Amino acid sequence: MIAQRLAPNRRILCAAPAYLERMGEPRAIPDLKSHRLLAADGQMPWRLVGPKGAVSIEGRSHIRTNSSEVVRELTLSGAGIALRSLWDISDALANGQVRQILPDHEGSSDVALYAVQLAQLNPPLSIRAFVDFLVGLYTPTPPWERSAIALTERSL
């Protein structure tokens, strides 16, 4: 297999404003212990990187599901705090449906989006064209990162 990195997959902690109004906003990592964490099966512990290095958030999800989409919808509805990819949550972040919390901590930067294909001496031109299209779509900055950058600039 051959893998070509297409784009970063930044993941942030976020919650709906209604949840934060009801439960309060965590100000530090230890505060998460008293909050409702939302994650699909197998997605905990959360591994984050912060100013002092790597941090692991142990805990149990407040819900049990194998669906990341369910976690996303529950986060938007105010059910708790989730670790979500910017590609999945950037529109909701831009329009105020969710807010980033603990912005100095994010998911590991080792996670990214890749185009993966079989190793071939002469891959079909259609595959090469499709991968080139994706590279053009996501570089130098993918759309979800552009909206996150604009949001950051507006809040400064």
PDB file of all heavy atoms in Angstrom, residues 18 35 43 58 63 71 74 125 136:
ATOM      1  N   ALA A  18     -25.161  25.790  25.311  1.00  0.00           N
ATOM      2  CA  ALA A  18     -26.189  25.432  26.307  1.00  0.00           C
ATOM      3  C   ALA A  18     -25.605  24.516  27.379  1.00  0.00           C
ATOM      4  O   ALA A  18     -25.905  24.664  28.572  1.00  0.00           O
ATOM      5  CB  ALA A  18     -27.378  24.766  25.626  1.00  0.00           C
ATOM      6  N   HIS A  35     -17.375  16.497  34.314  1.00  0.00           N
ATOM      7  CA  HIS A  35     -18.212  16.796  33.153  1.00  0.00           C
ATOM      8  C   HIS A  35     -18.641  15.518  32.439  1.00  0.00           C
ATOM      9  O   HIS A  35     -18.056  14.456  32.624  1.00  0.00           O
ATOM     10  CB  HIS A  35     -17.467  17.702  32.171  1.00  0.00           C
ATOM     11  CG  HIS A  35     -17.443  19.127  32.623  1.00  0.00           C
ATOM     12  ND1 HIS A  35     -18.422  20.030  32.288  1.00  0.00           N
ATOM     13  CD2 HIS A  35     -16.552  19.798  33.402  1.00  0.00           C
ATOM     14  CE1 HIS A  35     -18.138  21.195  32.832  1.00  0.00           C
ATOM     15  NE2 HIS A  35     -17.011  21.079  33.528  1.00  0.00           N
ATOM     16  N   GLN A  43     -12.922   5.111  21.605  1.00  0.00           N
ATOM     17  CA  GLN A  43     -12.293   6.414  21.402  1.00  0.00           C
ATOM     18  C   GLN A  43     -11.739   7.031  22.687  1.00  0.00           C
ATOM     19  O   GLN A  43     -11.225   8.141  22.660  1.00  0.00           O
ATOM     20  CB  GLN A  43     -13.269   7.386  20.742  1.00  0.00           C
ATOM     21  CG  GLN A  43     -13.601   7.010  19.332  1.00  0.00           C
ATOM     22  CD  GLN A  43     -14.529   8.009  18.662  1.00  0.00           C
ATOM     23  OE1 GLN A  43     -15.244   8.766  19.306  1.00  0.00           O
ATOM     24  NE2 GLN A  43     -14.525   8.004  17.346  1.00  0.00           N
ATOM     25  N   GLU A  58      -8.459   9.999  30.978  1.00  0.00           N
ATOM     26  CA  GLU A  58      -9.117   8.740  31.310  1.00  0.00           C
ATOM     27  C   GLU A  58     -10.558   9.052  31.690  1.00  0.00           C
ATOM     28  O   GLU A  58     -10.859  10.139  32.161  1.00  0.00           O
ATOM     29  CB  GLU A  58      -8.404   8.061  32.486  1.00  0.00           C
ATOM     30  CG  GLU A  58      -6.931   7.789  32.246  1.00  0.00           C
ATOM     31  CD  GLU A  58      -6.664   6.696  31.234  1.00  0.00           C
ATOM     32  OE1 GLU A  58      -7.550   5.843  31.011  1.00  0.00           O
ATOM     33  OE2 GLU A  58      -5.565   6.708  30.652  1.00  0.00           O
ATOM     34  N   ILE A  63     -22.259   8.232  27.182  1.00  0.00           N
ATOM     35  CA  ILE A  63     -23.153   7.453  26.325  1.00  0.00           C
ATOM     36  C   ILE A  63     -22.399   6.239  25.782  1.00  0.00           C
ATOM     37  O   ILE A  63     -21.179   6.187  25.846  1.00  0.00           O
ATOM     38  CB  ILE A  63     -23.684   8.301  25.139  1.00  0.00           C
ATOM     39  CG1 ILE A  63     -22.520   8.990  24.402  1.00  0.00           C
ATOM     40  CG2 ILE A  63     -24.636   9.349  25.623  1.00  0.00           C
ATOM     41  CD1 ILE A  63     -22.423   8.595  22.990  1.00  0.00           C
ATOM     42  N   VAL A  71     -22.256  10.850  18.421  1.00  0.00           N
ATOM     43  CA  VAL A  71     -21.490  11.694  19.346  1.00  0.00           C
ATOM     44  C   VAL A  71     -21.549  13.150  18.886  1.00  0.00           C
ATOM     45  O   VAL A  71     -21.786  14.056  19.685  1.00  0.00           O
ATOM     46  CB  VAL A  71     -20.030  11.211  19.470  1.00  0.00           C
ATOM     47  CG1 VAL A  71     -19.189  12.204  20.274  1.00  0.00           C
ATOM     48  CG2 VAL A  71     -19.978   9.831  20.093  1.00  0.00           C
ATOM     49  N   LEU A  74     -25.074  14.574  19.562  1.00  0.00           N
ATOM     50  CA  LEU A  74     -25.284  14.789  20.996  1.00  0.00           C
ATOM     51  C   LEU A  74     -24.491  15.989  21.503  1.00  0.00           C
ATOM     52  O   LEU A  74     -24.965  16.747  22.349  1.00  0.00           O
ATOM     53  CB  LEU A  74     -24.917  13.528  21.786  1.00  0.00           C
ATOM     54  CG  LEU A  74     -25.915  12.380  21.665  1.00  0.00           C
ATOM     55  CD1 LEU A  74     -25.339  11.102  22.259  1.00  0.00           C
ATOM     56  CD2 LEU A  74     -27.227  12.745  22.335  1.00  0.00           C
ATOM     57  N   LEU A 125      -4.604   5.978 -14.535  1.00  0.00           N
ATOM     58  CA  LEU A 125      -4.628   7.437 -14.560  1.00  0.00           C
ATOM     59  C   LEU A 125      -5.800   7.996 -13.763  1.00  0.00           C
ATOM     60  O   LEU A 125      -5.703   9.078 -13.172  1.00  0.00           O
ATOM     61  CB  LEU A 125      -4.682   7.942 -16.001  1.00  0.00           C
ATOM     62  CG  LEU A 125      -3.403   7.732 -16.812  1.00  0.00           C
ATOM     63  CD1 LEU A 125      -3.616   8.208 -18.248  1.00  0.00           C
ATOM     64  CD2 LEU A 125      -2.236   8.457 -16.184  1.00  0.00           C
ATOM     65  N   GLY A 136      -5.186  18.945  -4.459  1.00  0.00           N
ATOM     66  CA  GLY A 136      -5.539  20.318  -4.790  1.00  0.00           C
ATOM     67  C   GLY A 136      -6.635  20.877  -3.895  1.00  0.00           C
ATOM     68  O   GLY A 136      -6.650  22.061  -3.574  1.00  0.00           O
TER      69      GLY A 136
END
